[in-house]
């Protein structure tokens, strides 16, 4: 049976939310969401549709915005955006069951509307328009919609076709996809075709999806391995994955990770402090979720000026645990082994591999279970205090050392400000608290 999917996206979501909060129209207001406390090299989280109409890309750096454009700079408020996104999801639930909705990101969702069209007596376009109007009436945020006969085509209809329609709705099936988009450029406009894939294709004389479809499959498998299968399917507008497949998917293994890009580079010793903080917080997160692990992976990125390869390695612990003491030792030993002591560090990534339920916790002959249990109870007590009084209500001595980042990161979501904080006199004041 043929399916019908919608892919709804909230246009310039963060920027639109900031405009609406100020009583301004995102379509006519020049506004960027970026942290004024950082340098002008910081990336804008979003720019308003009015800025995009002036040719400003959505994820530019502040210094790249033409000096001739006057605009409002709004500090990120991630907690507010998450709340608005949750409210919009509630709107979606008025029309469809949660089993037929896949939240792809904070501002984008897929919907299988196949079984609802007869119920509502509507076409897919009419249903999409009704949901978009409801979102606008409730939040003031404009949405765009892609409609497709499979999940991929719904996404492409949103990303490419909808941009060229007055009602912000694009519609595709396999045949119209081939008829209208096989010659579309650049090929990076298509979902999952990044600069690296485009470069390999270009080196082999392939510049469009139509040319991908006409290329011998042996060459594509030689270039991309098993990933060629996905590229070939998408070149023809095919996508076998159904909403039910997404809902029933269960990964073979789970992991837990954290990463950060530093505002300025750090040396080897400060890097060790930052690693300790990151591991400590991840261990607390495991305790909170009732998880344990016996494997940690560390990835260190150096300043690009030094043209040195990043450091990468994995270590295992002697027990399966959430103990910060046990995991910290393995992490520091790994850090000492793989990291160059004389090259400035710019980014950190820490991953706990093979994360599993705490029922699988195991000890070895050299570990005192009572000591681990005592630490576990202390971690649980810390979590209760943080949950009641805030993440910075209880800290460790290392969090107060020079170069530590935990206090600042506890005020962030996804590396960006969670909400309004006091700006110093050199920062741009962009928010009237009375408007909240």
């Amino acid at each position: 049976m043929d399916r019908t999917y919608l892919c709804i996206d909230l246009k310039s979501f963060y920027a639109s939310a900031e405009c609406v909060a100020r009583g301004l129209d995102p379509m006519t207001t020049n506004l960027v969401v970026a942290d004024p406390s950082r340098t002008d090299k910081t990336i804008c989280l979003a720019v308003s549709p009015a800025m995009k109409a002036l040719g400003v890309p959505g994820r530019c750096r502040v210094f790249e915005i033409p000096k001739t454009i006057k605009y409002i700079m709004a500090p990120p408020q991630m907690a507010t955006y998450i709340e608005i996104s949750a409210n919009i999801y509630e709107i979606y639930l008025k029309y469809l069951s949660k089993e037929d909705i896949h939240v792809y990101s904070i501002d984008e969702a897929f919907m299988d509307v196949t079984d609802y069209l007869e119920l509502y007596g509507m076409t897919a376009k009419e249903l999409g328009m009704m949901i978009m109007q409801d979102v606008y009436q409730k939040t003031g945020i404009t949405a765009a919609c892609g409609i497709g006969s499979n999940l991929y085509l719904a996404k492409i209809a949103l990303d490419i076709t909808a941009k060229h329609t007055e009602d912000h709705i694009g519609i595709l099936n396999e045949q119209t996809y081939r008829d209208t988009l096989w010659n579309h450029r650049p090929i990076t406009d298509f979902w999952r075709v990044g600069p690296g894939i485009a470069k390999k294709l270009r080196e082999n004389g392939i510049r469009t999806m139509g040319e991908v479809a006409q290329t011998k499959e042996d060459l594509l498998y030689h270039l991309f391995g098993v990933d060629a299968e996905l590229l070939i399917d998408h070149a023809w507008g095919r996508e076998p994955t159904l909403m039910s497949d997404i809902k029933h998917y269960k990964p073979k293994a789970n992991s837990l990770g954290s990463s950060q890009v530093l505002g300025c580079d750090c040396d080897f010793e400060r890097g060790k402090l930052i690693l300790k903080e990151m591991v400590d917080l991840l261990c607390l997160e495991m305790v909170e979720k009732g998880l344990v692990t016996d494997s940690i992976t560390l990835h260190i990125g150096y300043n690009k000026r030094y043209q040195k390869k990043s450091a990468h390695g994995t270590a295992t612990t002697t027990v399966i645990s959430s103990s910060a003491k046990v995991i910290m030792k393995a992490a520091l030993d790994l850090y000492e082994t793989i990291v160059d002591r004389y090259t400035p560090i710019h980014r950190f990534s820490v991953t706990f591999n093979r994360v599993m339920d705490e029922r699988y916790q195991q000890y070895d002959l050299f570990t005192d279970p009572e000591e681990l249990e005592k630490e576990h109870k202390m971690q649980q007590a810390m979590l209760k205090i943080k949950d009641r009084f805030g993440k910075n209500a209880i800290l460790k001595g290392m969090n107060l050392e020079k170069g530590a980042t935990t206090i600042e990161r506890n005020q962030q979501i996804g590396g960006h400000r969670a909400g309004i904080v006091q700006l110093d006199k050199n920062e741009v004041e962009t928010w009237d608290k009375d408007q909240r």
Side-chain angles (χ1 to χ4, degrees):
M1 176 183 174
D2 291 338
R3 312 297 298 180
T4 302
Y5 295 92
L6 305 185
C7 185
I8 293 182
D9 172 70
L10 309 174
K11 291 176 69 66
S12 303
F13 177 48
Y14 300 152
S16 293
E18 293 291 348
C19 286
V20 171
R22 292 165 170 75
L24 303 172
D25 184 352
M27 298 300 172
T28 59
T29 303
N30 293 339
L31 180 145
V32 304
V33 179
D35 192 341
S37 67
R38 300 183 180 182
T39 70
D40 63 357
K41 294 181 180 179
T42 189
I43 296 176
C44 298
L45 280 181
V47 305
S48 64
M51 292 281 281
K52 288 185 177 179
L54 295 174
V56 179
R59 297 285 287 176
C60 65
R61 296 183 184 273
V62 172
F63 75 84
E64 294 174 326
I65 301 174
K67 303 298 182 185
T68 55
I69 299 178
K70 294 185 180 297
Y71 60 89
I72 299 169
M73 181 181 288
Q77 300 184 94
M78 297 305 297
T80 300
Y81 308 147
I82 291 172
E83 181 180 356
I84 295 171
S85 180
N87 292 337
I88 292 173
Y89 179 68
E90 290 293 329
I91 295 174
Y92 297 157
L93 289 175
K94 288 171 53 179
Y95 300 93
L96 295 92
S97 166
K98 65 180 182 180
E99 284 76 23
D100 295 310
I101 304 173
H102 171 58
V103 178
Y104 183 64
S105 67
I106 192 172
D107 60 352
E108 194 169 331
F110 288 93
M111 305 174 190
D112 185 346
V113 299
T114 309
D115 300 326
Y116 297 86
L117 301 181
E118 184 177 352
L119 173 66
Y120 291 121
M122 293 181 173
T123 65
K125 182 174 182 178
E126 290 170 338
L127 178 56
M129 182 66 75
M130 185 166 66
I131 296 173
M132 292 163 63
Q133 289 175 342
D134 201 349
V135 170
Y136 182 76
Q137 290 170 359
K138 297 289 195 310
T139 68
I141 294 174
T142 300
C145 178
I147 302 172
S149 53
N150 60 49
L151 289 164
Y152 171 72
L153 291 178
K155 174 67 172 168
I156 298 304
L158 170 72
D159 289 347
I160 302 178
T161 310
K163 292 181 179 179
H164 305 288
T165 62
E166 290 186 7
D167 57 11
H168 309 302
I169 296 178
I171 305 175
L172 289 173
N173 57 38
E174 290 185 20
Q175 190 58 53
T176 56
Y177 170 81
R178 298 168 195 171
D179 291 342
T180 61
L181 296 179
W182 257 11
N183 294 320
H184 178 87
R185 294 189 189 185
I187 198 171
T188 49
D189 283 349
F190 291 86
W191 186 58
R192 290 184 60 87
V193 180
I197 292 176
K199 181 175 182 291
K200 281 189 176 182
L201 290 172
R202 188 170 59 252
E203 289 171 349
N204 288 272
I206 305 168
R207 291 177 171 79
T208 67
M209 275 299 194
E211 291 175 349
V212 172
Q214 303 302 325
T215 299
K216 291 183 177 180
E217 293 187 2
D218 288 349
L219 173 60
L220 296 174
Y221 277 102
H222 173 73
L223 292 174
F224 305 109
V226 69
D227 289 340
E229 182 177 350
L230 186 66
L231 182 61
I232 294 166
D233 275 349
H234 287 178
W236 288 95
R238 299 189 296 252
E239 175 53 67
T241 302
L242 304 174
M243 181 69 73
S244 56
D245 297 326
I246 296 173
K247 293 297 181 178
H248 292 107
Y249 174 75
K250 291 184 179 180
K252 293 181 179 179
N254 294 297
S255 63
L256 196 65
S258 175
S259 62
Q260 63 173 302
V261 178
L262 304 180
C264 58
D265 299 340
C266 74
D267 60 20
F268 183 83
E269 289 303 321
R270 185 193 167 201
K272 192 182 298 185
L273 170 62
I274 293 172
L275 173 63
K276 288 167 64 178
E277 288 188 296
M278 293 176 71
V279 170
D280 188 61
L281 288 177
L282 278 176
C283 287
L284 277 179
E285 187 175 347
M286 280 205 300
V287 172
E288 184 178 26
K289 295 178 178 178
L291 301 171
V292 291
T293 187
D294 65 348
S295 175
I296 178 172
T297 294
L298 176 61
H299 184 89
I300 300 293
Y302 300 117
N303 187 306
K304 291 182 179 179
R305 293 197 310 267
Y306 294 85
Q307 298 181 339
K308 181 165 286 191
K309 289 184 179 180
S310 57
H312 183 88
T314 298
T316 56
T317 60
T318 57
V319 297
I320 303 176
S321 172
S322 58
S323 166
K325 291 180 180 179
V326 171
I327 299 173
M328 191 79 74
K329 183 180 184 308
L332 291 175
D333 288 346
L334 179 61
Y335 181 86
E336 295 270 1
T337 301
I338 68 173
V339 177
D340 189 317
R341 292 176 174 269
Y342 307 104
T343 305
I345 298 171
H346 189 60
R347 60 176 57 85
F348 288 81
S349 178
V350 181
T351 304
F352 289 176
N353 312 303
R354 295 199 297 272
V355 170
M356 62 197 83
D357 190 277
E358 61 185 357
R359 291 175 299 175
Y360 296 99
Q361 180 169 268
Q362 291 183 0
Y363 306 112
D364 63 8
L365 294 175
F366 307 99
T367 302
D368 185 350
E370 291 186 2
E371 282 295 316
L372 292 187
E373 182 60 26
K374 182 178 179 181
E375 181 190 359
H376 188 72
K377 289 180 178 179
M378 185 179 298
Q379 290 172 313
Q380 289 177 319
M382 291 178 65
L383 286 169
K384 289 180 180 179
I385 295 172
K386 287 173 178 284
D387 183 59
R388 184 173 179 181
F389 299 106
K391 292 181 179 179
N392 284 330
I394 182 167
L395 298 165
K396 292 188 175 181
M398 66 179 175
N399 304 138
L400 302 175
E401 292 184 32
K402 184 178 179 180
T405 63
T406 290
I407 295 176
E408 179 183 0
R409 286 174 61 80
N410 278 345
Q411 298 171 342
Q412 300 175 342
I413 296 175
H416 304 285
R417 287 179 174 177
I420 299 170
V421 297
Q422 186 65 42
L423 305 180
D424 66 37
K425 63 182 180 180
N426 295 319
E427 293 181 326
V428 182
E429 181 59 65
T430 62
W431 181 262
D432 180 1
K433 293 183 181 179
D434 293 334
Q435 291 179 345
R436 292 199 71 182

mmCIF file of all heavy atoms in Angstrom, residues 272-305:
data_model
loop_
_atom_site.group_PDB
_atom_site.id
_atom_site.type_symbol
_atom_site.label_atom_id
_atom_site.label_comp_id
_atom_site.label_asym_id
_atom_site.label_seq_id
_atom_site.Cartn_x
_atom_site.Cartn_y
_atom_site.Cartn_z
ATOM 1 N N LYS A 272 43.667 17.965 31.019
ATOM 2 C CA LYS A 272 43.436 16.879 31.967
ATOM 3 C C LYS A 272 42.313 17.235 32.942
ATOM 4 O O LYS A 272 41.457 16.402 33.274
ATOM 5 C CB LYS A 272 44.729 16.571 32.728
ATOM 6 C CG LYS A 272 44.690 15.279 33.527
ATOM 7 C CD LYS A 272 45.977 15.070 34.296
ATOM 8 C CE LYS A 272 47.173 14.936 33.369
ATOM 9 N NZ LYS A 272 48.411 14.609 34.140
ATOM 10 N N LEU A 273 42.288 18.502 33.370
ATOM 11 C CA LEU A 273 41.235 18.969 34.273
ATOM 12 C C LEU A 273 39.868 18.914 33.586
ATOM 13 O O LEU A 273 38.882 18.441 34.178
ATOM 14 C CB LEU A 273 41.539 20.404 34.721
ATOM 15 C CG LEU A 273 40.427 21.135 35.476
ATOM 16 C CD1 LEU A 273 40.102 20.418 36.782
ATOM 17 C CD2 LEU A 273 40.824 22.593 35.742
ATOM 18 N N ILE A 274 39.812 19.379 32.348
ATOM 19 C CA ILE A 274 38.550 19.375 31.607
ATOM 20 C C ILE A 274 38.049 17.947 31.398
ATOM 21 O O ILE A 274 36.856 17.663 31.540
ATOM 22 C CB ILE A 274 38.726 20.098 30.255
ATOM 23 C CG1 ILE A 274 38.979 21.594 30.493
ATOM 24 C CG2 ILE A 274 37.510 19.887 29.364
ATOM 25 C CD1 ILE A 274 39.351 22.356 29.247
ATOM 26 N N LEU A 275 38.970 17.038 31.099
ATOM 27 C CA LEU A 275 38.591 15.630 30.924
ATOM 28 C C LEU A 275 38.005 15.070 32.217
ATOM 29 O O LEU A 275 36.974 14.380 32.192
ATOM 30 C CB LEU A 275 39.807 14.814 30.500
ATOM 31 C CG LEU A 275 39.596 13.302 30.434
ATOM 32 C CD1 LEU A 275 38.551 12.949 29.381
ATOM 33 C CD2 LEU A 275 40.911 12.579 30.145
ATOM 34 N N LYS A 276 38.629 15.367 33.341
ATOM 35 C CA LYS A 276 38.140 14.869 34.629
ATOM 36 C C LYS A 276 36.718 15.364 34.902
ATOM 37 O O LYS A 276 35.853 14.615 35.359
ATOM 38 C CB LYS A 276 39.078 15.310 35.755
ATOM 39 C CG LYS A 276 40.415 14.582 35.757
ATOM 40 C CD LYS A 276 41.426 15.257 36.663
ATOM 41 C CE LYS A 276 41.022 15.248 38.107
ATOM 42 N NZ LYS A 276 42.060 15.875 38.970
ATOM 43 N N GLU A 277 36.471 16.633 34.575
ATOM 44 C CA GLU A 277 35.128 17.179 34.778
ATOM 45 C C GLU A 277 34.104 16.470 33.887
ATOM 46 O O GLU A 277 33.002 16.142 34.324
ATOM 47 C CB GLU A 277 35.121 18.670 34.457
ATOM 48 C CG GLU A 277 35.842 19.544 35.476
ATOM 49 C CD GLU A 277 35.612 21.019 35.167
ATOM 50 O OE1 GLU A 277 36.055 21.487 34.099
ATOM 51 O OE2 GLU A 277 34.989 21.693 35.997
ATOM 52 N N MET A 278 34.469 16.254 32.629
ATOM 53 C CA MET A 278 33.544 15.616 31.694
ATOM 54 C C MET A 278 33.231 14.187 32.110
ATOM 55 O O MET A 278 32.075 13.746 32.073
ATOM 56 C CB MET A 278 34.131 15.648 30.281
ATOM 57 C CG MET A 278 34.252 17.045 29.696
ATOM 58 S SD MET A 278 35.059 17.077 28.068
ATOM 59 C CE MET A 278 33.786 16.335 27.037
ATOM 60 N N VAL A 279 34.248 13.443 32.522
ATOM 61 C CA VAL A 279 34.043 12.061 32.965
ATOM 62 C C VAL A 279 33.175 12.024 34.214
ATOM 63 O O VAL A 279 32.256 11.196 34.339
ATOM 64 C CB VAL A 279 35.400 11.372 33.230
ATOM 65 C CG1 VAL A 279 35.197 10.033 33.930
ATOM 66 C CG2 VAL A 279 36.165 11.176 31.924
ATOM 67 N N ASP A 280 33.425 12.943 35.139
ATOM 68 C CA ASP A 280 32.662 12.993 36.383
ATOM 69 C C ASP A 280 31.177 13.234 36.098
ATOM 70 O O ASP A 280 30.293 12.573 36.668
ATOM 71 C CB ASP A 280 33.209 14.090 37.283
ATOM 72 C CG ASP A 280 32.594 14.062 38.673
ATOM 73 O OD1 ASP A 280 32.763 13.048 39.360
ATOM 74 O OD2 ASP A 280 31.943 15.056 39.051
ATOM 75 N N LEU A 281 30.878 14.161 35.189
ATOM 76 C CA LEU A 281 29.485 14.463 34.861
ATOM 77 C C LEU A 281 28.813 13.299 34.137
ATOM 78 O O LEU A 281 27.631 13.011 34.367
ATOM 79 C CB LEU A 281 29.412 15.730 34.002
ATOM 80 C CG LEU A 281 29.706 17.047 34.721
ATOM 81 C CD1 LEU A 281 29.666 18.208 33.741
ATOM 82 C CD2 LEU A 281 28.715 17.288 35.857
ATOM 83 N N LEU A 282 29.549 12.629 33.262
ATOM 84 C CA LEU A 282 28.980 11.474 32.565
ATOM 85 C C LEU A 282 28.693 10.326 33.534
ATOM 86 O O LEU A 282 27.704 9.606 33.390
ATOM 87 C CB LEU A 282 29.922 11.005 31.457
ATOM 88 C CG LEU A 282 29.839 11.764 30.132
ATOM 89 C CD1 LEU A 282 30.906 11.257 29.165
ATOM 90 C CD2 LEU A 282 28.458 11.610 29.501
ATOM 91 N N CYS A 283 29.551 10.158 34.529
ATOM 92 C CA CYS A 283 29.313 9.118 35.535
ATOM 93 C C CYS A 283 28.044 9.428 36.333
ATOM 94 O O CYS A 283 27.243 8.528 36.627
ATOM 95 C CB CYS A 283 30.517 8.996 36.473
ATOM 96 S SG CYS A 283 31.959 8.226 35.717
ATOM 97 N N LEU A 284 27.847 10.703 36.676
ATOM 98 C CA LEU A 284 26.617 11.101 37.371
ATOM 99 C C LEU A 284 25.392 10.833 36.494
ATOM 100 O O LEU A 284 24.348 10.404 36.988
ATOM 101 C CB LEU A 284 26.673 12.579 37.744
ATOM 102 C CG LEU A 284 27.416 12.956 39.024
ATOM 103 C CD1 LEU A 284 27.387 14.466 39.220
ATOM 104 C CD2 LEU A 284 26.805 12.260 40.232
ATOM 105 N N GLU A 285 25.541 11.089 35.201
ATOM 106 C CA GLU A 285 24.421 10.841 34.286
ATOM 107 C C GLU A 285 24.097 9.353 34.235
ATOM 108 O O GLU A 285 22.925 8.966 34.168
ATOM 109 C CB GLU A 285 24.757 11.365 32.888
ATOM 110 C CG GLU A 285 23.596 11.303 31.919
ATOM 111 C CD GLU A 285 23.887 11.933 30.568
ATOM 112 O OE1 GLU A 285 24.906 12.648 30.455
ATOM 113 O OE2 GLU A 285 23.095 11.708 29.625
ATOM 114 N N MET A 286 25.132 8.509 34.266
ATOM 115 C CA MET A 286 24.880 7.059 34.278
ATOM 116 C C MET A 286 24.145 6.651 35.553
ATOM 117 O O MET A 286 23.216 5.839 35.505
ATOM 118 C CB MET A 286 26.202 6.291 34.161
ATOM 119 C CG MET A 286 26.737 6.210 32.755
ATOM 120 S SD MET A 286 27.815 4.773 32.497
ATOM 121 C CE MET A 286 29.109 5.094 33.694
ATOM 122 N N VAL A 287 24.561 7.194 36.686
ATOM 123 C CA VAL A 287 23.885 6.870 37.952
ATOM 124 C C VAL A 287 22.417 7.280 37.883
ATOM 125 O O VAL A 287 21.522 6.538 38.290
ATOM 126 C CB VAL A 287 24.588 7.569 39.129
ATOM 127 C CG1 VAL A 287 23.781 7.389 40.416
ATOM 128 C CG2 VAL A 287 25.997 7.013 39.318
ATOM 129 N N GLU A 288 22.183 8.477 37.345
ATOM 130 C CA GLU A 288 20.817 8.990 37.235
ATOM 131 C C GLU A 288 19.945 8.085 36.375
ATOM 132 O O GLU A 288 18.760 7.887 36.653
ATOM 133 C CB GLU A 288 20.849 10.398 36.652
ATOM 134 C CG GLU A 288 19.494 11.077 36.566
ATOM 135 C CD GLU A 288 19.595 12.488 36.021
ATOM 136 O OE1 GLU A 288 20.547 12.770 35.275
ATOM 137 O OE2 GLU A 288 18.719 13.306 36.335
ATOM 138 N N LYS A 289 20.537 7.503 35.321
ATOM 139 C CA LYS A 289 19.779 6.666 34.394
ATOM 140 C C LYS A 289 19.866 5.181 34.717
ATOM 141 O O LYS A 289 19.303 4.352 33.995
ATOM 142 C CB LYS A 289 20.282 6.912 32.966
ATOM 143 C CG LYS A 289 20.028 8.328 32.479
ATOM 144 C CD LYS A 289 20.584 8.557 31.079
ATOM 145 C CE LYS A 289 20.261 9.961 30.600
ATOM 146 N NZ LYS A 289 20.821 10.235 29.246
ATOM 147 N N GLY A 290 20.586 4.834 35.789
ATOM 148 C CA GLY A 290 20.705 3.437 36.176
ATOM 149 C C GLY A 290 21.516 2.615 35.204
ATOM 150 O O GLY A 290 21.147 1.489 34.856
ATOM 151 N N LEU A 291 22.657 3.162 34.754
ATOM 152 C CA LEU A 291 23.484 2.508 33.740
ATOM 153 C C LEU A 291 24.902 2.267 34.263
ATOM 154 O O LEU A 291 25.350 2.902 35.224
ATOM 155 C CB LEU A 291 23.553 3.380 32.483
ATOM 156 C CG LEU A 291 22.215 3.715 31.810
ATOM 157 C CD1 LEU A 291 22.418 4.757 30.726
ATOM 158 C CD2 LEU A 291 21.573 2.460 31.238
ATOM 159 N N VAL A 292 25.620 1.378 33.583
ATOM 160 C CA VAL A 292 27.022 1.088 33.889
ATOM 161 C C VAL A 292 27.768 0.850 32.581
ATOM 162 O O VAL A 292 27.152 0.621 31.536
ATOM 163 C CB VAL A 292 27.171 -0.148 34.810
ATOM 164 C CG1 VAL A 292 26.645 0.141 36.198
ATOM 165 C CG2 VAL A 292 26.457 -1.358 34.201
ATOM 166 N N THR A 293 29.102 0.885 32.647
ATOM 167 C CA THR A 293 29.909 0.632 31.452
ATOM 168 C C THR A 293 31.255 0.053 31.842
ATOM 169 O O THR A 293 31.651 0.096 33.020
ATOM 170 C CB THR A 293 30.119 1.939 30.650
ATOM 171 O OG1 THR A 293 30.763 1.632 29.414
ATOM 172 C CG2 THR A 293 31.015 2.902 31.413
ATOM 173 N N ASP A 294 31.981 -0.461 30.852
ATOM 174 C CA ASP A 294 33.340 -0.936 31.089
ATOM 175 C C ASP A 294 34.297 -0.455 29.994
ATOM 176 O O ASP A 294 35.400 -0.969 29.849
ATOM 177 C CB ASP A 294 33.383 -2.462 31.176
ATOM 178 C CG ASP A 294 33.009 -3.133 29.860
ATOM 179 O OD1 ASP A 294 32.505 -2.428 28.951
ATOM 180 O OD2 ASP A 294 33.210 -4.351 29.735
ATOM 181 N N SER A 295 33.848 0.551 29.198
ATOM 182 C CA SER A 295 34.667 0.998 28.078
ATOM 183 C C SER A 295 34.493 2.493 27.859
ATOM 184 O O SER A 295 33.372 3.011 27.911
ATOM 185 C CB SER A 295 34.274 0.227 26.809
ATOM 186 O OG SER A 295 34.965 0.726 25.677
ATOM 187 N N ILE A 296 35.606 3.168 27.599
ATOM 188 C CA ILE A 296 35.574 4.600 27.361
ATOM 189 C C ILE A 296 36.417 4.941 26.131
ATOM 190 O O ILE A 296 37.509 4.390 25.949
ATOM 191 C CB ILE A 296 36.082 5.393 28.600
ATOM 192 C CG1 ILE A 296 36.098 6.903 28.314
ATOM 193 C CG2 ILE A 296 37.455 4.918 29.046
ATOM 194 C CD1 ILE A 296 36.401 7.740 29.543
ATOM 195 N N THR A 297 35.899 5.822 25.301
ATOM 196 C CA THR A 297 36.624 6.300 24.125
ATOM 197 C C THR A 297 36.857 7.798 24.254
ATOM 198 O O THR A 297 35.957 8.544 24.642
ATOM 199 C CB THR A 297 35.837 6.017 22.828
ATOM 200 O OG1 THR A 297 35.770 4.605 22.635
ATOM 201 C CG2 THR A 297 36.524 6.646 21.618
ATOM 202 N N LEU A 298 38.064 8.206 23.931
ATOM 203 C CA LEU A 298 38.449 9.612 24.034
ATOM 204 C C LEU A 298 38.931 10.109 22.678
ATOM 205 O O LEU A 298 39.727 9.449 22.011
ATOM 206 C CB LEU A 298 39.570 9.759 25.072
ATOM 207 C CG LEU A 298 40.197 11.149 25.262
ATOM 208 C CD1 LEU A 298 39.144 12.141 25.719
ATOM 209 C CD2 LEU A 298 41.340 11.053 26.268
ATOM 210 N N HIS A 299 38.406 11.271 22.267
ATOM 211 C CA HIS A 299 38.846 11.895 21.012
ATOM 212 C C HIS A 299 39.245 13.330 21.324
ATOM 213 O O HIS A 299 38.454 14.100 21.866
ATOM 214 C CB HIS A 299 37.728 11.877 19.975
ATOM 215 C CG HIS A 299 38.146 12.419 18.642
ATOM 216 N ND1 HIS A 299 38.693 11.623 17.659
ATOM 217 C CD2 HIS A 299 38.127 13.676 18.141
ATOM 218 C CE1 HIS A 299 38.974 12.364 16.600
ATOM 219 N NE2 HIS A 299 38.648 13.612 16.870
ATOM 220 N N ILE A 300 40.480 13.669 20.980
ATOM 221 C CA ILE A 300 41.023 15.008 21.242
ATOM 222 C C ILE A 300 41.354 15.683 19.914
ATOM 223 O O ILE A 300 42.074 15.116 19.084
ATOM 224 C CB ILE A 300 42.301 14.926 22.103
ATOM 225 C CG1 ILE A 300 42.009 14.274 23.450
ATOM 226 C CG2 ILE A 300 42.904 16.316 22.285
ATOM 227 C CD1 ILE A 300 41.127 15.075 24.360
ATOM 228 N N GLY A 301 40.818 16.875 19.715
ATOM 229 C CA GLY A 301 41.109 17.636 18.503
ATOM 230 C C GLY A 301 42.067 18.774 18.801
ATOM 231 O O GLY A 301 41.830 19.567 19.727
ATOM 232 N N TYR A 302 43.136 18.863 18.041
ATOM 233 C CA TYR A 302 44.123 19.927 18.244
ATOM 234 C C TYR A 302 43.775 21.167 17.426
ATOM 235 O O TYR A 302 42.949 21.122 16.507
ATOM 236 C CB TYR A 302 45.523 19.442 17.843
ATOM 237 C CG TYR A 302 46.008 18.239 18.617
ATOM 238 C CD1 TYR A 302 46.263 17.020 17.971
ATOM 239 C CD2 TYR A 302 46.208 18.308 19.986
ATOM 240 C CE1 TYR A 302 46.714 15.913 18.676
ATOM 241 C CE2 TYR A 302 46.664 17.203 20.701
ATOM 242 C CZ TYR A 302 46.911 16.010 20.038
ATOM 243 O OH TYR A 302 47.349 14.915 20.740
ATOM 244 N N ASN A 303 44.413 22.282 17.748
ATOM 245 C CA ASN A 303 44.269 23.488 16.945
ATOM 246 C C ASN A 303 44.746 23.191 15.521
ATOM 247 O O ASN A 303 45.818 22.628 15.315
ATOM 248 C CB ASN A 303 45.097 24.618 17.564
ATOM 249 C CG ASN A 303 44.858 25.950 16.883
ATOM 250 O OD1 ASN A 303 44.991 26.090 15.675
ATOM 251 N ND2 ASN A 303 44.517 26.944 17.671
ATOM 252 N N LYS A 304 43.934 23.572 14.536
ATOM 253 C CA LYS A 304 44.242 23.255 13.142
ATOM 254 C C LYS A 304 45.539 23.902 12.660
ATOM 255 O O LYS A 304 46.149 23.426 11.698
ATOM 256 C CB LYS A 304 43.085 23.684 12.245
ATOM 257 C CG LYS A 304 41.824 22.849 12.437
ATOM 258 C CD LYS A 304 40.733 23.286 11.481
ATOM 259 C CE LYS A 304 39.479 22.435 11.651
ATOM 260 N NZ LYS A 304 38.389 22.871 10.743
ATOM 261 N N ARG A 305 45.953 24.967 13.309
ATOM 262 C CA ARG A 305 47.180 25.654 12.881
ATOM 263 C C ARG A 305 48.390 24.724 12.910
ATOM 264 O O ARG A 305 49.340 24.909 12.160
ATOM 265 C CB ARG A 305 47.474 26.857 13.791
ATOM 266 C CG ARG A 305 46.485 27.986 13.705
ATOM 267 C CD ARG A 305 47.074 29.256 14.295
ATOM 268 N NE ARG A 305 47.648 29.048 15.603
ATOM 269 C CZ ARG A 305 46.999 29.232 16.744
ATOM 270 N NH1 ARG A 305 45.725 29.594 16.717
ATOM 271 N NH2 ARG A 305 47.573 29.048 17.904
#
